[in-house]
């Protein structure tokens, strides 16, 4: 990593990098700073300033050369320790998580979404490209994705978990109500919001009962 890059800039590099890879995969050759700004939700002045740390990468009236930038960022980010996280199932809950995207944390960010709904596949949601589920294995490999957040309907979940396990994922943050049998090298963390709420209600009710007994 270049020594003099401000921390705030360094934190945005993976976001630029992922979007550039998405453009590259879509066959796009160049992008203006305004387009880039709309897609990654970083204002264009900031983008220009960020890019200026790497020399004059953009040309006025032309925009940025996607392949050149992609190559440049791939090299620069070589030592990046950001944990690569993806989300499968960009519905209501999935969208909320993409939008939240662990902003206060420096080293985790959701970089890719997967879905089967043609209305959102190929779009950018909260700055995150959404791929078709068919591309799951390929993208996991290409983007070195280690962790997957699972927010699909439960009927589709176990088949997806099998695919995740087979593609070498290390961890799954499971928002579905199902519990999965996975090999030891995969860690599953279950988040059961209904259960959490019920537990809270249980404790509140039992405290109230204690009070009544006194
Ligand atoms: P949520 O449950 O998050 O509130 P929702 O009500 O919008 O979401 P769900 O039916 O739960 O919709 O589906 C969540 C998302 O998962 C949707 O965007 C849906 O297109 C997607 N989805 C459904 N089946 C699959 C699948 N097999 N692979 C990937 N995504 C899927």
């Amino acid at each position: 990593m270049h020594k003099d890059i401000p921390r705030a800039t360094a934190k945005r590099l993976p976001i630029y990098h992922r979007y550039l890879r998405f453009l590259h995969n879509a066959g796009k050759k160049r992008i203006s700073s305004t387009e880039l700004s709309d897609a990654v939700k970083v204002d264009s002045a900031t983008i220009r300033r960020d890019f200026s740390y790497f020399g004059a990468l953009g040309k006025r009236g032309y925009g940025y050369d996607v392949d050149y930038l992609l190559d440049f960022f791939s090299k620069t980010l070589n030592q990046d320790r950001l944990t690569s996280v993806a989300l499968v199932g960009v519905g209501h809950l999935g969208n909320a998580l993409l939008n939240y995207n662990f902003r206060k944390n420096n080293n985790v960010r959701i970089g890719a979404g997967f879905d089967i709904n043609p209305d959102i596949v190929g779009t950018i949601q909260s700055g995150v490209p959404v791929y078709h589920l068919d591309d799951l294995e390929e993208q996991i490999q290409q983007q070195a994705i280690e962790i997957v957040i699972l927010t699909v309907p439960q009927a589709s979940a176990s088949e997806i978990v099998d695919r995740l396990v087979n593609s070498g994922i290390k961890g799954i943050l499971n928002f579905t109500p199902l519990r999965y049998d996975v090999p030891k090298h995969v860690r599953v963390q279950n988040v059961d919001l209904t259960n959490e709420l019920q537990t809270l209600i249980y404790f509140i009710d039992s405290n109230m009962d204690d009070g009544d007994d006194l």
Side-chain angles (χ1 to χ4, degrees):
M1 183 74 81
H2 295 225
K3 275 200 196 91
D4 301 323
I5 300 172
R7 200 172 163 70
T9 298
K11 274 166 63 178
R12 283 187 288 269
L13 297 189
I15 304 173
Y16 298 141
H17 182 231
R18 289 196 172 107
Y19 187 61
L20 287 163
R21 191 162 34 206
F22 181 69
L23 290 174
H24 171 82
N25 288 345
K28 205 154 181 264
K29 292 289 175 219
R30 55 169 149 157
I31 184 165
S32 69
S33 54
T34 325
E35 278 175 282
L36 187 57
S37 164
D38 285 347
V40 298
K41 300 277 178 293
V42 175
D43 68 273
S44 52
T46 304
I47 292 179
R48 278 193 292 271
R49 200 180 54 239
D50 284 349
F51 285 13
S52 74
Y53 292 109
F54 315 111
L57 294 177
K59 291 190 210 104
R60 195 169 280 283
Y62 177 85
Y64 297 99
D65 185 298
V66 170
D67 290 349
Y68 178 86
L69 272 184
L70 182 61
D71 186 52
F72 185 85
F73 281 117
S74 303
K75 286 182 189 137
T76 309
L77 289 168
N78 218 6
Q79 295 155 28
D80 170 38
R81 278 179 291 115
L82 193 88
T83 303
S84 195
V85 182
L87 180 140
V88 183
V90 190
H92 289 108
L93 182 58
N95 252 304
L97 291 169
L98 286 187
N99 185 39
Y100 172 63
N101 215 347
F102 311 95
R103 266 179 244 283
K104 295 198 183 86
N105 201 303
N106 294 341
N107 52 9
V108 273
R109 181 153 297 135
I110 307 169
F114 294 89
D115 208 290
I116 50 169
N117 179 351
D119 292 341
I120 50 171
V121 167
T123 66
I124 308 281
Q125 301 292 328
S126 304
V128 179
V130 180
Y131 300 88
H132 195 279
L133 190 73
D134 289 351
D135 300 333
L136 185 67
E137 287 81 359
E138 188 191 327
Q139 289 301 327
I140 285 177
Q141 213 188 16
Q142 257 189 37
Q143 304 195 30
I145 294 165
E146 294 172 61
I147 291 176
V148 165
I149 301 173
L150 196 60
T151 45
V152 286
Q154 66 182 73
S156 346
S158 57
E159 192 193 320
I160 295 173
V161 168
D162 288 345
R163 287 175 63 181
L164 293 173
V165 167
N166 288 331
S167 47
I169 279 295
K170 293 183 185 158
I172 299 172
L173 188 61
N174 171 35
F175 279 87
T176 77
L178 299 180
R179 298 295 168 257
Y180 306 101
D181 257 338
V182 294
K184 275 207 185 72
H185 62 269
V186 182
R187 163 114 202 162
V188 180
Q189 196 70 36
N190 298 306
V191 184
D192 188 333
L193 294 176
T194 312
N195 195 27
E196 294 295 319
L197 191 58
Q198 295 287 13
T199 308
L200 180 64
I201 292 167
Y202 169 80
F203 280 119
I204 288 171
D205 286 352
S206 53
N207 275 346
M208 277 173 61
D209 286 347
D210 287 351
D212 288 347
D213 289 345
L214 289 174

